[in-house]
Amino acid sequence: MTVPSTGDPLRALIVSASFGSGHHQANGALDAALRDLGVTLEARHADLLKYMSTPERLITAGMYDLWLRHAPGLYKAFYQLTDTDRAPTAQAFGWLGYPAMRRDVLDVRPEVVVSSYPTPVALAHNVRRRTGHNFLNALVITDYRVHQHWARAEADLLMVPNEEAREQLARWRIPDDRVEVTGIPIARVYRELIGADRAALRLKHGLDPELPLILISGGGTGSYRALPQVLRELGNLGRPVQVLVLAGADGHGVARVGGATLHRLGFTTNFPELLAASDLVVGKAGGLTVSEATTLGVPMVVHAPIPGQEEFNVDYLERHGAALWARALSDVRPAVLRALDADERARMSCAAHRVSRPDAAEQVARVLLRRLGRL
């Protein structure tokens, strides 16, 4: 196995954004992968939203949350309107949070700035240009389609989930030698859980090993608008099931909705094992959830994904046979029943494994080290 060259510690500024939890999780997985490879890592983790001033944060994060909770159609219109290199948002990215990132760069003096969200790449480029401090400016793309916001010409290195995303970057005129296909980085524990005994995991967590287990994907912020309606559909399947409700759970404990036994857990550190124990994921289609579920071979039934990026995520899965897209609420029940059929579930599970990249975090780490001349 190739190991990093010895020498000075690797100083890194690793930047995410609190639009959900996925960007933080990807960066955490990368940090751990670098350390697993034997790197002496001196990393500062930063959050784009904390870089921003209060007015900037209210305008960006506040508007995003407002749209998703109350007007998803407006967010979809914004997503489509800004999917062009002439969009004004592309030019604004270099300044939102600039003073705070400049402070971190001058303090950390990083060898690499790696971001799991597009805006910090433009910021880092601006800081580098204005301060003269040199570093590798890298971006990990955590969606399965490259919207213009991700196509950062300022990046020295863009790491993408699959070959389709590489081709999309080429259409945005990003030079191919800056692009590497790595997958979306997820925690090492998911690789360790591949092939785990689902019945044993269910018993460990107080769940019935015989009843089908469905995990609700509601996003890290609990803003899944369709949750009550989806739970009603799962209670009306005509067969008993058990359902895990994590983020966004209204209270804690066990409840019944029709034929569904709901386990309202709220936040839990046991998510990887609970996902590995599940027959099916139902709900949203965030990039990290997709990467985790496919690694474990858990099929998905997606309903009411975030307009734009999550719609493209589920489109990718559906085209490859790893998910069903229930576009209308009335489609949820038949889609779930179809996915719970033993033969169909086995087929979808194999399809999920085929598109998975369980070692993505290690691949991202190795690509970075090669570009830095440390491998």
Side-chain angles (χ1 to χ4, degrees):
M1 182 172 102
T2 307
V3 296
S5 59
T6 57
D8 294 334
L10 173 57
R11 297 188 309 279
L13 178 59
I14 303 177
V15 190
S16 62
S18 296
F19 295 100
S21 60
H23 304 291
H24 295 297
Q25 293 171 14
N27 284 350
L30 171 58
D31 183 304
L34 286 166
R35 297 179 194 275
D36 286 346
L37 288 172
V39 173
T40 303
L41 183 64
E42 293 181 358
R44 176 174 296 179
H45 286 260
D47 185 339
L48 171 68
L49 295 189
K50 292 182 180 178
Y51 277 166
M52 291 181 183
S53 66
T54 300
E56 290 172 340
R57 193 161 51 248
L58 287 173
I59 291 170
T60 55
M63 187 64 70
Y64 179 75
D65 184 67
L66 182 68
W67 279 342
L68 293 192
R69 290 181 185 274
H70 304 292
L74 285 179
Y75 177 75
K76 184 170 185 175
F78 171 80
Y79 183 94
Q80 295 171 336
L81 181 67
T82 57
D83 197 20
T84 167
D85 53 13
R86 296 182 298 278
T89 49
Q91 285 70 49
F93 280 178
W95 296 101
L96 291 172
Y98 174 84
M101 176 174 269
R102 182 179 186 275
R103 179 200 62 224
D104 270 0
V105 167
L106 293 178
D107 187 25
V108 176
R109 305 195 71 78
E111 191 174 341
V112 58
V113 175
V114 58
S115 307
S116 58
Y117 192 75
T119 309
V121 175
L123 269 181
H125 174 75
N126 204 9
V127 171
R128 181 170 61 180
R129 179 175 59 86
R130 294 168 70 86
T131 65
H133 180 72
N134 194 30
F135 50 78
L136 180 71
N137 191 8
L139 174 62
V140 180
I141 296 178
T142 56
D143 285 328
Y144 285 79
R145 175 188 179 264
V146 181
H147 184 279
Q148 187 272 334
H149 287 169
W150 286 110
R152 304 313 312 172
E154 305 95 333
D156 306 310
L157 171 64
L158 301 96
M159 291 163 283
V160 298
N162 50 42
E163 288 293 340
E164 287 186 16
R166 180 200 286 274
E167 293 167 4
Q168 290 159 10
L169 280 174
R171 291 197 289 273
W172 286 114
R173 300 181 298 280
I174 301 297
D176 190 63
D177 61 1
R178 296 190 196 176
V179 182
E180 297 273 3
V181 177
T182 58
I184 297 173
I186 57 175
R188 181 180 63 247
V189 64
Y190 292 98
R191 293 174 67 181
E192 297 168 351
L193 285 167
I194 294 173
D197 186 329
R198 284 187 291 149
L201 287 174
R202 292 181 192 182
L203 287 171
K204 176 180 177 180
H205 294 286
L207 300 165
D208 190 325
E210 302 297 331
L211 281 183
L213 181 62
I214 297 170
L215 187 148
I216 296 293
S217 169
T221 61
S223 60
Y224 184 39
R225 298 173 69 247
L227 178 61
Q229 293 85 0
V230 167
L231 292 180
R232 283 197 295 271
E233 293 299 306
L234 295 180
N236 193 36
L237 292 176
R239 60 180 295 183
V241 294
Q242 47 195 341
V243 180
L244 300 176
V245 187
L246 307 179
D250 182 14
H252 292 73
V254 180
R256 292 293 298 272
V257 174
T261 301
L262 307 185
H263 297 266
R264 300 181 184 273
L265 304 179
F267 173 79
T268 175
T269 58
N270 295 320
F271 179 82
E273 289 191 351
L274 294 171
L275 177 58
S278 298
D279 294 294
L280 186 63
V281 171
V282 175
K284 293 169 74 276
L288 267 289
T289 299
V290 169
S291 187
E292 294 159 355
T294 55
T295 288
L296 294 173
V298 182
M300 298 185 70
V301 171
V302 180
H303 175 68
I306 291 177
Q309 66 264 32
E310 288 193 4
E311 291 178 335
F312 283 101
N313 291 348
V314 65
D315 173 72
Y316 175 79
L317 289 178
E318 189 176 49
R319 284 188 287 109
H320 288 84
L324 300 174
W325 188 352
R327 288 168 171 81
L329 183 63
S330 59
D331 296 330
V332 171
R333 181 176 178 273
V336 169
L337 289 172
R338 174 182 166 187
L340 287 177
D341 173 80
D343 291 340
E344 183 69 3
R345 187 195 177 281
R347 184 195 65 77
M348 293 177 70
S349 180
C350 288
H353 279 301
R354 282 196 297 271
V355 298
S356 70
R357 290 185 176 267
D359 63 343
E362 180 181 335
Q363 292 305 313
V364 170
R366 288 186 176 277
V367 166
L368 286 173
L369 293 172
R370 281 198 297 271
R371 295 287 178 130
L372 293 168
R374 285 176 170 260
L375 272 185

